[in-house]
Amino acid sequence: DAKTTQPPSMDCAEGRAANLPCNHSTISGNEYVYWYRQIHSQGPQYIIHGLKNNETNEMASLIITEDRKSSTLILPHATLRDTAVYYCIVRVKDSSYKLIFGSGTRLLVRP
Amino acid sequence: GAVVSQHPSRVICKSGTSVKIECRSLDFQATTMFWYRQFPKKSLMLMATSNEGSKATYEQGVEKDKFLINHASLTLSTLTVTSAHPEDSSFYICSARVGSAYEQYFGPGTRLTVT
């Protein structure tokens, strides 16, 4: 599976949009981009995933560049409860279904 | 979304003893369960993949005789840390997948402290 690069930490003000970047320049054509987050001392939570089209759900939006070498997770109106470590994972949607976590981005939402 | 529970949430044991951690899918049948370990301020590390009714597949560097995994039913997988040592102290997290779903549902984690 392709490697991802994320900034180690970011912060944003409560109520503003949080834009979390992820670089996956070695992604191949059949690899999906997944985002999970982990709030302190809890298990990770699925947020969103996509292949090449932009995706939106009730939690977030995922913007994938046309060349698929990078993506951005957008939390449109961040709240204090969105403070967490956000993981961008690239993997093939194959029968193993394994998720390999990188180091993620620690997002701090400021009041 | 689907709910995965873990028991216990926190356990302290003495060095040399064994500890069993349970992972249950509460409202769905999990064809595959995964076990992860997480040290403080580090990312999750996949330990093994467990399919119901078959032997677990361990990641490179994970000792299968030390971390025994049993997936006896579609709703229960157990991880037994045998002859635990202080370096086994960690946060152990399981996840479960149903059918061909792309999502994995994670449990709340079990914090193991070996004294």
Side-chain angles (χ1 to χ4, degrees):
Chain A
D1 293 332
K3 181 180 164 59
T4 62
T5 305
Q6 298 178 252
S9 64
M10 294 182 67
D11 67 80
C12 76
E14 188 179 18
R16 304 300 290 266
N19 298 291
L20 292 96
C22 179
N23 185 288
H24 31 79
S25 57
T26 60
I27 194 171
S28 54
N30 60 347
E31 288 182 311
Y32 287 71
V33 180
Y34 288 78
W35 282 84
Y36 281 77
R37 73 179 182 184
Q38 185 179 26
I39 295 170
H40 183 61
S41 293
Q42 296 183 24
Q45 176 189 24
Y46 166 83
I47 301 173
I48 201 166
H49 80 287
L51 182 62
K52 49 185 166 184
N53 296 324
N54 297 337
E55 303 286 345
T56 295
N57 63 20
E58 63 278 3
M59 287 183 71
S61 295
L62 174 60
I63 308 298
I64 302 174
T65 58
E66 198 167 330
D67 63 7
R68 302 211 320 124
K69 294 186 180 210
S70 66
S71 60
T72 301
L73 178 75
I74 301 172
L75 307 178
H77 304 286
T79 70
L80 299 180
R81 284 188 287 186
D82 292 322
T83 291
V85 179
Y86 288 76
Y87 296 98
C88 168
I89 301 169
V90 172
R91 60 169 290 269
V92 176
K93 211 170 177 179
D94 63 8
S95 59
S96 75
Y97 292 92
K98 291 196 297 189
L99 292 173
I100 306 300
F101 286 78
S103 51
T105 295
R106 189 171 297 273
L107 175 68
L108 173 65
V109 181
R110 296 177 278 103
Chain B
V3 178
V4 175
S5 71
Q6 283 184 238
H7 178 79
S9 58
R10 197 177 278 272
V11 58
I12 301 172
C13 71
K14 292 191 175 175
S15 189
T17 61
S18 295
V19 175
K20 181 186 283 189
I21 301 169
E22 291 184 350
C23 176
R24 291 182 187 272
S25 55
L26 296 186
D27 51 1
F28 67 100
Q29 293 187 322
T31 46
T32 307
M33 288 183 169
F34 303 85
W35 286 96
Y36 296 82
R37 181 167 55 178
Q38 185 175 33
F39 293 108
K41 298 195 186 302
K42 298 292 185 185
S43 186
L44 285 81
M45 187 191 80
L46 179 66
M47 298 175 69
T49 301
S50 168
N51 290 297
E52 186 264 338
S54 62
K55 288 185 180 179
T57 303
Y58 290 80
E59 295 298 303
Q60 194 171 11
V62 178
E63 299 173 60
K64 66 178 191 300
D65 295 329
K66 180 168 181 64
F67 298 100
L68 301 179
I69 292 171
N70 184 283
H71 192 163
S73 78
L74 285 171
T75 59
L76 173 65
S77 175
T78 60
L79 168 68
T80 301
V81 183
T82 63
S83 187
H85 290 284
E87 56 266 30
D88 298 323
S89 298
S90 189
F91 193 47
Y92 291 88
I93 306 169
C94 72
S95 70
R97 182 185 69 79
V98 55
S100 60
Y102 47 79
E103 293 178 40
Q104 282 187 27
Y105 301 99
F106 285 81
T110 295
R111 188 161 301 283
L112 169 64
T113 303
V114 185
T115 60

